[in-house]
């Protein structure tokens, strides 16, 4: 498989704190990769570097053969990377359909004047955008909610809607930051099936997930961070039996219990 994402010796420092410390990670096309680690391990910081929210203190990020290290978030998205966030980032007053249509904006080409005067070209583009958004809602299982305001959706459906909006960007890789947060076991199982469905549609998946059962069952390869450093990488069964990983999780639990 071809290399899609290559994070090379990435360091992200805030004052005297190295949130990510010399981390390298290679992700191939068509892969489902889990990025795991205890709280404060640097997972979301690495996500933010890859997606252009942070410019790393050192190191670089190559995506599909292009150096995206210093690109802004919208430029990173234009190259084919979309993401979700730990905290929901939906437009509550918009419908589910409208939220997904927002994710399609990167593929619209109408000028400001065409939009202002609502020209025939702009109307055709809007209709195509709407049709594609409906297809995506059906794909993720939210078609029946297309006219519901995002604020009125069940919590699990809100999580799925955010993923649908990220899919609407038609990315080469989708980055999911704790997609199972707050979900019950049934919802988590449905999400696992959706992640596999997304990968099977041709989109590579990188996810941060605290739910170890989900991370290990859905991922094909796992990278583990602790205190900003990569401590393990490999197949799920290999990582689960890695002494360094076990110590990182158990050690952090003991520290929290002692507080």
């Amino acid at each position: 498989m071809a290399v899609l994402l290559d994070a090379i010796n990435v360091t992200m420092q805030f004052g005297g704190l190295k949130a990510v410390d010399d981390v390298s990670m290679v992700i191939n096309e068509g892969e489902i990769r889990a990025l795991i680690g205890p709280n404060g391990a640097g997972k979301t910081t690495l996500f933010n570097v890859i997606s252009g929210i942070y410019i790393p203190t050192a190191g670089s990020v190559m995506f599909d053969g292009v150096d995206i290290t210093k690109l802004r978030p919208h430029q990173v998205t234009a190259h084919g990377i979309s993401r979700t966030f730990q905290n929901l980032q939906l437009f509550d007053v918009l419908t589910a359909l409208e939220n997904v249509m927002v994710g399609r904006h990167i593929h619209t080409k109408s000028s400001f004047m065409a939009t202002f005067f609502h020209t025939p070209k702009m109307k055709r583009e809007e209709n195509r955008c709407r049709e594609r958004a409906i297809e995506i809602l059906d794909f993720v299982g939210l078609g029946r909610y297309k006219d519901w305001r995002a604020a009125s959706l069940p919590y699990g459906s809100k999580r799925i809607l955010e993923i649908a909006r990220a899919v609407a960007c038609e990315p080469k890789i989708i980055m999911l930051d704790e997609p199972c947060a707050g979900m019950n076991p049934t919802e988590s199982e449905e999400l696992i099936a959706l992640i596999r469905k997304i990968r099977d549609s041709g989109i590579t998946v990188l996810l941060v997930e605290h739910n170890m059962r989900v991370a290990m069952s859905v991922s094909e390869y796992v990278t583990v961070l602790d205190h900003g450093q990569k401590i393990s990488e490999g197949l799920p069964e290999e990582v689960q039996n890695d002494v360094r990983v076990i110590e990182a999780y158990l050690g952090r639990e003991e520290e929290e219990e002692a507080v």
Side-chain angles (χ1 to χ4, degrees):
M1 286 185 284
V3 172
L4 183 60
L5 177 70
D6 190 4
I8 307 167
N9 304 118
V10 171
T11 294
M12 188 67 225
Q13 188 164 341
F14 301 98
L17 172 67
K18 285 186 178 179
V20 176
D21 187 3
D22 196 30
V23 171
S24 294
M25 178 175 65
V26 174
I27 299 176
N28 295 317
E29 287 183 358
E31 183 179 328
I32 300 176
R33 170 71 65 94
L35 181 63
I36 68 171
N39 288 330
K43 306 180 297 296
T44 294
T45 300
L46 183 57
F47 254 42
N48 289 340
V49 168
I50 294 171
S51 59
I53 293 175
Y54 298 149
I55 295 177
T57 308
S60 60
V61 180
M62 301 293 296
F63 180 71
D64 204 16
V66 177
D67 188 343
I68 62 169
T69 310
K70 296 183 179 181
L71 297 185
R72 297 172 65 86
H74 71 278
Q75 295 171 316
V76 172
T77 301
H79 274 79
I81 298 177
S82 65
R83 66 168 293 180
T84 64
F85 293 83
Q86 287 182 14
N87 299 316
L88 288 168
Q89 302 284 330
L90 297 172
F91 297 100
D92 285 342
V93 299
L94 300 183
T95 65
L97 178 59
E98 289 166 339
N99 267 276
V100 177
M101 288 178 69
V102 168
R104 297 286 305 164
H105 79 280
I106 192 173
H107 298 291
T108 58
K109 299 178 181 178
S110 293
S111 66
F112 170 78
M113 294 301 291
T115 302
F116 183 81
F117 288 107
H118 214 62
T119 64
K121 178 182 177 182
M122 187 270 169
K123 290 178 183 178
R124 289 194 298 271
E125 190 172 71
E126 184 178 356
N127 287 334
R128 287 194 298 269
C129 179
R130 182 180 300 274
E131 290 169 2
R132 180 58 181 145
I134 291 173
E135 290 175 358
I136 292 169
L137 284 172
D138 288 338
F139 175 81
V140 302
L142 294 181
R144 66 188 183 279
Y145 293 128
K146 67 182 179 66
D147 296 321
W148 287 39
R149 285 193 176 185
S152 63
L153 290 173
Y155 178 79
S157 296
K158 289 180 180 180
R159 282 278 175 192
I160 299 300
L161 179 57
E162 190 170 32
I163 293 173
R165 188 176 60 191
V167 170
C169 296
E170 297 190 4
K172 296 175 184 176
I173 185 170
I174 187 170
M175 299 167 54
L176 308 176
D177 197 350
E178 296 190 35
C180 281
M183 286 188 170
N184 60 43
T186 300
E187 291 170 332
S188 295
E189 287 298 324
E190 292 173 350
L191 181 63
I192 288 173
L194 176 59
I195 289 172
R196 289 177 177 147
K197 188 177 180 181
I198 289 171
R199 188 279 307 277
D200 292 344
S201 75
I203 302 173
T204 302
V205 180
L206 170 62
L207 72 150
V208 164
E209 185 51 64
H210 274 297
N211 186 321
M212 291 292 288
R213 181 185 62 80
V214 171
M216 293 300 176
S217 63
V218 75
S219 61
E220 298 154 337
Y221 211 70
V222 181
T223 300
V224 189
L225 301 183
D226 186 35
H227 292 100
Q229 297 182 324
K230 184 169 73 174
I231 62 170
S232 184
E233 193 169 61
L235 300 174
E237 56 270 24
E238 296 171 341
V239 168
Q240 282 180 303
N241 295 313
D242 190 320
V243 174
R244 293 168 297 178
V245 176
I246 296 170
E247 289 179 347
Y249 275 92
L250 293 180
R252 190 63 56 88
E253 288 176 3
E254 291 173 357
E255 289 175 11
E256 291 174 352
E257 289 174 0
V259 174

